[in-house]
Amino acid sequence: QVQLVESGGGLVQEGSSLRLSCAASGRTFSGFAMAWFRQAPGKEREFLLAIGSSGIKTYADSAKGRFTISRDNAQNTMYLQMNNLKPEDTAVYYCAATPRISFSYSLPRFYDYWGQGTQVTVSS
C-alpha cells in the first residue's frame, strides 16, 4: 500500500524558514488528498494544511500567512514551506494521505496513511 516519508526537519533559529518534503510510493499519488499535521509533546495532534486531489487547498488559522502547501504529482511529493518560524512551532511534523473524496480535512481519523514524522525545533 501507500508509504509516506517526511524529510527536511531540523534545528533552526527563530525567524528562519524550512521546507519539508513528503515522498509517497506504492500507489497513484495524484488520486489522494494529502495534509500536514504537527504534534508537540503533551499536545493534541494539530491540523495545519491540506491539499485535495483537485489541487484545492485548506488552511488552518494557525497556518495562514506563514505556511504554504504544494504538491508535485510528477515527483510523487508534497511540500510544506514554513516561513518566519517561532519557538512555538517546535513539534514533530507529519504528512498524511487518503483516497477519500468527501471528508473533513482537519480530522486525523479520515487519513489512512501517515509518515513517521520529522522533528522541527526552533530556538529563540
Side-chain angles (χ1 to χ4, degrees):
Q1 53 185 31
V2 174
Q3 292 183 328
L4 304 175
V5 180
E6 303 97 336
S7 63
L11 173 63
V12 298
Q13 187 75 23
E14 181 179 14
S16 62
S17 299
L18 274 178
R19 189 193 194 198
L20 305 184
S21 299
C22 175
S25 64
R27 192 68 169 78
T28 302
F29 178 81
S30 61
F32 285 75
M34 302 188 71
W36 287 98
F37 292 78
R38 69 183 180 187
Q39 189 165 23
K43 303 292 184 180
E44 299 290 331
R45 186 161 297 190
E46 177 188 11
F47 169 76
L48 295 173
L49 322 85
I51 183 167
S53 59
S54 66
I56 296 175
K57 301 173 183 178
T58 301
Y59 288 73
D61 288 340
S62 61
K64 293 179 180 178
R66 296 192 299 123
F67 296 177
T68 56
I69 190 171
S70 62
R71 64 191 296 169
D72 185 341
N73 291 337
Q75 296 295 321
N76 292 338
T77 304
M78 177 181 65
Y79 303 97
L80 173 61
Q81 178 67 44
M82 303 187 291
N83 298 323
N84 191 24
L85 286 164
K86 305 174 181 179
E88 52 263 42
D89 293 319
T90 295
V92 176
Y93 285 70
Y94 298 91
C95 67
T98 179
R100 292 181 171 86
I101 298 174
S102 180
F103 65 100
S104 297
Y105 288 111
S106 65
L107 301 180
R109 69 183 180 90
F110 286 106
Y111 293 87
D112 301 300
Y113 307 102
W114 294 83
Q116 82 288 351
T118 184
Q119 177 71 47
V120 173
T121 302
V122 184
S123 62
S124 60

